[in-house]
Amino acid sequence: MRNRKGQMPKSEIMTILLCYHFGSFRNFKHYYLFFIKEHMACYFPKAVSYMRFVELMPRVFFELMAFMRIQGFGKCTGISFVDSTMIPVCHNMRRNFNKVFDGLAKNGKGTMGWCHGFKLHLLCNEMGDVLTFCLTPANVDDRDPRVWQVFTKVLYGKVFADKGYIKQQFFENLFNQGIHLVHGLKSNMKNKLMPLWDKMMLRKRYIIECINELLKNKANLVHSRHRSVHNFLMNLCAALAAYCFFDNKPEALPVRIEKTRQLELF
């Protein structure tokens, strides 16, 4: 067993991982070999080989999660938006031959059709800041209690969702916890009165849709080149942490709601 201390600090490993999701590189190997090792060699003099760096990436998982939780994530203001997006790990034609995520990735159907992989559940505020997230297999329902056990820890006030979150018991459970779920109506449902302010904020759901688009198209969240589960998780966490420092975050009206649990009285 080698007992020599590693030459590359964990802070430099985290910096390299985050900077990858800010640039226009679509391949991490090309980014590391031809940008970090050549053009940025003066900033990272102790950079290791590419294969060694891939082995070191999982070692900074807890540090990256702590950094994202403390410095990256925003705070709930009483106005939140929730949505989920599919993260395919391979093409549908190769789902039976994928060995990397065997037993972990599942088949699920979203708005864009079937996919084999995972589902990312996101919660954000009206300023475009991510509050928290939850990663599940692709066949998990958006209203799953295990997902909302994570969300309710940082959530209060009103949360705006799409029609996929419609369920009477689910609405009542959240209402008893002081959370008001606001969603649209399906075509076969009876029309109900809704305050004008809720209708306006329901139209602002484009915020979380823009976040999903930035994560996939700019932060390179989705690709089919993962060779291990650990590196898949590192790519996911690094993409979310990098988004927290984007300059072009979508925003809505600057409104605040007082933090209270008064809804439990009704």
Side-chain angles (χ1 to χ4, degrees):
M1 298 291 294
R2 297 180 59 187
N3 297 321
R4 181 170 59 86
K5 186 178 179 180
Q7 296 182 358
M8 198 168 188
K10 291 184 177 181
S11 59
E12 294 186 2
I13 299 176
M14 294 173 56
T15 302
I16 293 175
L17 290 175
L18 292 180
C19 291
Y20 166 66
H21 298 280
F22 282 93
S24 58
F25 292 93
R26 307 299 296 179
N27 186 284
F28 185 80
K29 184 176 182 179
H30 181 270
Y31 159 79
Y32 186 80
L33 293 178
F34 297 98
F35 183 70
I36 298 297
K37 295 280 289 183
E38 291 188 8
H39 301 284
M40 304 292 289
C42 58
Y43 296 99
F44 304 98
K46 297 182 179 180
V48 296
S49 64
Y50 171 74
M51 295 301 298
R52 181 57 180 167
F53 186 85
V54 173
E55 295 176 356
L56 295 177
M57 284 169 53
R59 297 188 179 185
V60 299
F61 174 76
F62 294 103
E63 289 81 357
L64 184 60
M65 287 292 294
F67 173 77
M68 179 169 52
R69 175 69 64 177
I70 298 174
Q71 297 293 335
F73 284 173
K75 295 182 179 180
C76 183
T77 60
I79 304 173
S80 306
F81 302 90
V82 64
D83 197 10
S84 62
T85 182
M86 293 291 185
I87 305 180
V89 296
C90 66
H91 195 273
N92 288 333
M93 299 295 293
R94 294 187 285 109
R95 63 180 181 270
N96 295 327
F97 306 98
N98 188 282
K99 302 301 180 182
V100 178
F101 300 94
D102 187 20
L104 298 175
K106 302 295 182 180
N107 296 326
K109 187 177 183 181
T111 55
M112 303 301 294
W114 288 90
C115 84
H116 180 74
F118 300 90
K119 182 184 290 187
L120 178 64
H121 306 263
L122 278 179
L123 187 70
C124 73
N125 57 18
E126 79 279 8
M127 295 177 289
D129 297 329
V130 176
L131 302 180
T132 186
F133 73 98
C134 184
L135 183 68
T136 63
N139 58 353
V140 174
D141 188 20
D142 294 341
R143 301 161 296 186
D144 193 281
R146 295 170 295 179
V147 176
W148 285 88
Q149 284 180 0
V150 179
F151 286 173
T152 51
K153 294 179 180 179
V154 298
L155 188 62
Y156 70 90
K158 293 190 176 184
V159 55
F160 298 87
D162 57 10
K163 301 176 183 179
Y165 293 83
I166 297 177
K167 190 177 181 181
Q168 183 66 25
Q169 184 179 0
F170 176 67
F171 174 85
E172 293 176 356
N173 292 337
L174 291 180
F175 196 82
N176 292 333
Q177 300 179 52
I179 302 171
H180 183 197
L181 178 65
V182 182
H183 53 71
L185 300 178
K186 294 183 178 180
S187 58
N188 58 351
M189 295 177 62
K190 295 182 180 180
N191 191 16
K192 295 183 179 180
L193 294 177
M194 182 183 299
L196 178 61
W197 187 85
D198 288 350
K199 290 185 178 180
M200 293 174 56
M201 296 306 299
L202 194 60
R203 295 173 63 92
K204 300 297 182 180
R205 281 198 65 259
Y206 70 86
I207 293 177
I208 197 165
E209 301 290 348
C210 293
I211 293 177
N212 292 332
E213 183 180 358
L214 287 173
L215 289 174
K216 290 184 175 181
N217 297 332
K218 183 177 180 180
N220 198 19
L221 176 63
V222 178
H223 64 81
S224 60
R225 298 182 297 273
H226 297 293
R227 296 298 177 262
S228 69
V229 179
H230 300 90
N231 291 340
F232 165 76
L233 295 176
M234 291 303 302
N235 181 75
L236 172 68
C237 296
L240 288 172
Y243 165 78
C244 296
F245 299 95
F246 281 0
D247 295 329
N248 57 340
K249 291 182 182 179
E251 296 183 3
L253 298 175
V255 184
R256 296 290 184 273
I257 291 183
E258 182 181 357
K259 185 175 181 179
T260 177
R261 303 181 68 87
Q262 189 176 3
L263 292 176
E264 296 182 4
L265 299 177
F266 298 92

